[in-house]
Amino acid sequence: MKKERKILSLVMFLNLGVASVKLISGIMFGFSSLIADSLQSLTDFVTDIISSIASEIGKRRANKRYPFGYGMSENIANFIIGIIMLLLGSFILMESFKSTDVEVAASIFIVLIIAILLKLLVIFLLYYNGIKLNSNRLLVATKESSVDLIASIIVLVVSILLLFKDKYPILVHANTVGSIIISLIIFYMALNIMIENIRYLLGVNEDNEEVKERIDELIKANKLIKDHEIKLMKMGAYYNLYLTIELETSVTLKQLFSLEKRLKKEIKDLRLGIRFVEIEPKEYD
């Protein structure tokens, strides 16, 4: 969708701009928490590019080699993103113990406030358009941006605490603690992304109850079908549906072919993100 691409392009531009400013500021002031935050923002930018490439590959038509299309390319890309984030979290964790005493300048607060406001704008754009366009890709990007927002808020809290380090010496470690917390958040998100997508790559069925209920209602309305079994397989941005049906004994072969054709059309007309439908009559012993 053109609008989806425009939104993602704008978000990528904002992510790159915010990340660059935070990285430069973090290096200038030796502020490890801000550097960690900027790396998280840069990762957002990189993952947006990877997701965009995978999404374009996923839109390719099915062929003899890939009869169910290229949808799994998005799962592979997401798994790679998880690995990148895991490496990033490890780097930030190791670097956090090398952090030195930081003198918080007023410019850091300006950078952080602007970054937080821009991130709120990004989250609003992604979520609003994700709901409006029914785009899973935009909604997933919303979650990633939310993590970046949390990281920026943590750095802001760390900056405020460092203002009181002369009065409370223990607060001198706030920079280190902030970096560790950010790395742990990245670890958590990376593992979730990797586990979720490796399930799909291994062929684990996706239990989307809402989708199943809509299909169930459609099939129950058909008097030729006595019973049925629904299996969904997540293929990146879309689903494959495997439907086993038990027919009334009076159904002829001609009626079966007609029923299969009609069901496939009606299921796709539901607009549930189902691209491929396989229908098989139940086998009897």
Side-chain angles (χ1 to χ4, degrees):
M1 294 175 72
K2 289 184 178 180
K3 190 167 184 180
E4 184 186 72
R5 289 178 185 174
K6 286 180 180 179
I7 295 297
L8 283 171
S9 297
L10 175 61
V11 166
M12 287 168 64
F13 173 76
L14 289 172
N15 279 338
L16 181 60
V18 170
S20 301
V21 173
K22 287 194 288 189
L23 181 60
I24 293 168
S25 301
I27 293 172
M28 282 178 59
F29 295 100
F31 199 170
S32 64
S33 292
L34 188 55
I35 293 173
D37 183 20
S38 69
L39 291 175
Q40 166 60 32
S41 297
L42 279 172
T43 302
D44 261 3
F45 174 71
V46 173
T47 55
D48 284 342
I49 293 174
I50 294 173
S51 294
S52 296
I53 294 171
S55 180
E56 291 304 312
I57 294 172
K59 291 174 184 175
R60 291 180 182 177
R61 291 186 177 183
N63 51 42
K64 289 182 180 180
R65 187 174 182 182
Y66 298 100
F68 295 113
Y70 292 77
M72 280 293 182
S73 60
E74 292 190 33
N75 296 122
I76 294 170
N78 288 337
F79 186 74
I80 292 170
I81 287 168
I83 293 173
I84 292 171
M85 293 183 69
L86 202 62
L87 294 173
L88 171 65
S90 301
F91 175 76
I92 291 172
L93 185 62
M94 289 187 293
E95 289 297 312
S96 65
F97 294 103
K98 300 177 185 179
S99 61
T100 55
D101 190 15
V102 179
E103 292 298 328
V104 180
S107 56
I108 287 179
F109 287 99
I110 295 171
V111 168
L112 286 171
I113 290 170
I114 292 173
I116 289 170
L117 291 174
L118 285 174
K119 211 64 193 181
L120 285 170
L121 174 63
V122 164
I123 290 170
F124 171 77
L125 286 171
L126 289 171
Y127 182 75
Y128 175 78
N129 288 284
I131 295 294
K132 186 178 178 181
L133 301 173
N134 192 26
S135 169
N136 185 59
R137 188 177 168 198
L138 293 181
L139 292 175
V140 169
T142 304
K143 293 179 182 178
E144 293 177 359
S145 292
S146 297
V147 174
D148 193 20
L149 174 64
I150 291 169
S152 294
I153 291 171
I154 290 171
V155 178
L156 181 61
V157 172
V158 167
S159 302
I160 294 170
L161 291 175
L162 287 173
L163 293 175
F164 302 95
K165 63 184 173 65
D166 292 334
K167 188 174 182 180
Y168 304 102
I170 194 171
L171 294 180
V172 75
H173 302 294
N175 188 23
T176 299
V177 173
S179 296
I180 292 172
I181 292 172
I182 291 172
S183 69
L184 293 176
I185 291 172
I186 294 171
F187 277 137
Y188 176 76
M189 187 175 177
L191 289 173
N192 275 348
I193 291 172
M194 291 172 71
I195 291 169
E196 180 182 358
N197 285 278
I198 203 167
R199 283 175 64 250
Y200 297 142
L201 292 172
L202 291 174
V204 178
N205 287 337
E206 170 70 9
D207 292 324
N208 189 317
E209 294 303 323
E210 185 180 348
V211 173
K212 282 187 173 182
E213 284 175 13
R214 295 281 302 279
I215 298 168
D216 192 55
E217 289 172 7
L218 175 67
I219 295 170
K220 282 181 177 177
N222 196 303
K223 294 179 180 180
L224 296 178
I225 300 173
K226 195 174 180 181
D227 198 8
H228 64 278
E229 183 183 349
I230 299 169
K231 287 185 180 179
L232 285 173
M233 183 68 72
K234 183 74 170 173
M235 299 287 288
Y238 58 85
Y239 292 101
N240 284 350
L241 170 64
Y242 301 90
L243 182 62
T244 304
I245 54 176
E246 181 181 349
L247 301 168
E248 295 290 346
T249 53
S250 60
V251 175
T252 65
L253 194 59
K254 184 178 180 181
Q255 285 176 314
L256 172 60
F257 288 139
S258 177
L259 175 64
E260 286 185 4
K261 186 177 180 180
R262 188 171 70 252
L263 275 178
K264 286 181 179 181
K265 183 181 184 305
E266 289 176 350
I267 288 169
K268 289 185 178 181
D269 285 345
L270 289 174
R271 298 186 180 278
L272 298 173
I274 296 171
R275 186 176 293 184
F276 296 99
V277 181
E278 281 199 7
I279 302 174
E280 291 184 2
K282 185 177 180 181
E283 294 183 2
Y284 296 94
D285 298 329

